[in-house]
Amino acid sequence: MILKPGTGTNPYYARKHGHEIPNTLDKVLAGLCSDYQPTGATNSVDAAEMLWKGERIEFAHGSSETPAVTSPKLSYVPSAETFGRRPSLSTPASTPVSTPAPQPEIGLADLPQLLAPGQGWSAQDSQRQLQALQNCPADSARGVISSAFDQSVRLGDKAFAKSGWGAALMTGTLVTGVAAVVTAFTNPGLALGLASGAMAGACGSVLLVADARKDSNNSAILSDMGRRLDARTWGQEYDRHGSHGNYLADFKPGR
């Protein structure tokens, strides 16, 4: 009999042969003396202690062997022994997935109706968005939406640039005005020229700022119009929120 490292119960041997391996000490002593009664301990250390104390485990039938382990024999399947048996599940019949009905295609004639007042948008907001709609010619609703977004981005960039130039021009105007005042008593001619330049700069700055506001207003109208139409093409609503709506003025196409 081959003994595994460590004496005592070997579950793999017991599972295969139906009984446990006796501990080494009992096995050796039983081999030396035919009248030796095993201690019944599961390991040699406990067996030595029991021999020292004169203890024995009384077997029901007086057998010299350790009691048999009654375990049902199963077909040896390593994967089932390690991980357990995988229950067989009946594959349910595939349930057909119901696809939502496609949204009806929106045509150019439907766009004005989609911009009607509602969802927080006032009648004035809708009227100005309709003005922007006329500035987005295209062959389809998707083309109108794309044109609105492109124009909105372009006008927003122009408004930002014009605001920057207007601020710079206003700063130069202030510096020129101060210089005109300083030189008024020492050099009236130079002061008059500086004053004229300051006035021209101020007018130019005002025009740039006004043009930037117009571009920014047009950009906001186009953006909201495009977002409302895009949402409606997907069967949704784009509610008015935040700073949207209440535009500064009507939509005025650029020259």
Side-chain angles (χ1 to χ4, degrees):
M1 179 182 296
I2 299 176
L3 298 179
K4 300 291 182 181
T7 58
T9 301
N10 187 320
Y12 300 100
Y13 186 91
R15 185 180 305 167
K16 183 176 181 181
H17 297 281
H19 62 86
E20 300 176 356
I21 300 176
N23 65 74
T24 305
L25 183 58
D26 281 347
K27 187 67 175 177
V28 172
L29 294 179
L32 295 176
C33 179
S34 60
D35 297 333
Y36 176 78
Q37 296 294 327
T39 60
T42 59
N43 57 75
S44 297
V45 176
D46 291 343
E49 183 180 358
M50 294 174 70
L51 288 173
W52 176 262
K53 295 180 180 180
E55 298 176 351
R56 292 287 194 280
I57 293 179
E58 296 297 333
F59 298 102
H61 303 288
S63 171
S64 62
E65 295 291 335
T66 57
V69 177
T70 58
S71 60
K73 290 188 177 182
L74 302 176
S75 59
Y76 180 70
V77 181
S79 61
E81 177 181 307
T82 306
F83 303 103
R85 293 183 179 275
R86 179 178 299 174
S88 59
L89 300 177
S90 59
T91 304
S94 58
T95 304
V97 179
S98 59
T99 57
Q103 295 290 336
E105 186 176 354
I106 296 177
L108 295 175
D110 302 324
L111 299 184
Q113 301 176 6
L114 302 181
L115 297 176
Q119 305 296 324
W121 302 99
S122 65
Q124 189 178 46
D125 294 337
S126 296
Q127 181 62 33
R128 289 171 173 174
Q129 291 171 8
L130 288 173
Q131 294 172 357
L133 179 62
Q134 299 176 3
N135 200 59
C136 299
D139 297 333
S140 63
R142 182 55 56 185
V144 171
I145 296 171
S146 178
S147 176
F149 286 146
D150 291 343
Q151 291 187 63
S152 176
V153 172
R154 184 167 61 252
L155 289 174
D157 293 341
K158 290 175 64 176
F160 180 79
K162 290 177 181 179
S163 297
W165 282 109
L169 191 57
M170 181 59 69
T171 301
T173 298
L174 294 175
V175 173
T176 304
V178 171
V181 172
V182 171
T183 59
F185 300 98
T186 58
N187 193 339
L190 179 59
L192 182 60
L194 291 174
S196 300
M199 291 181 62
C203 293
S205 177
V206 170
L207 292 175
L208 280 174
V209 171
D211 207 23
R213 287 179 178 175
K214 185 191 74 172
D215 288 342
S216 179
N217 184 70
N218 289 346
S219 175
I221 297 174
L222 285 165
S223 177
D224 289 340
M225 184 204 72
R227 292 176 187 275
R228 291 188 68 187
L229 295 179
D230 183 65
R232 291 301 298 271
T233 57
W234 294 99
Q236 303 172 359
E237 292 285 352
Y238 185 75
D239 298 338
R240 181 183 179 277
H241 62 281
S243 59
H244 299 269
N246 291 341
Y247 309 113
L248 299 176
D250 292 340
F251 183 86
K252 300 176 181 177
R255 294 180 297 272

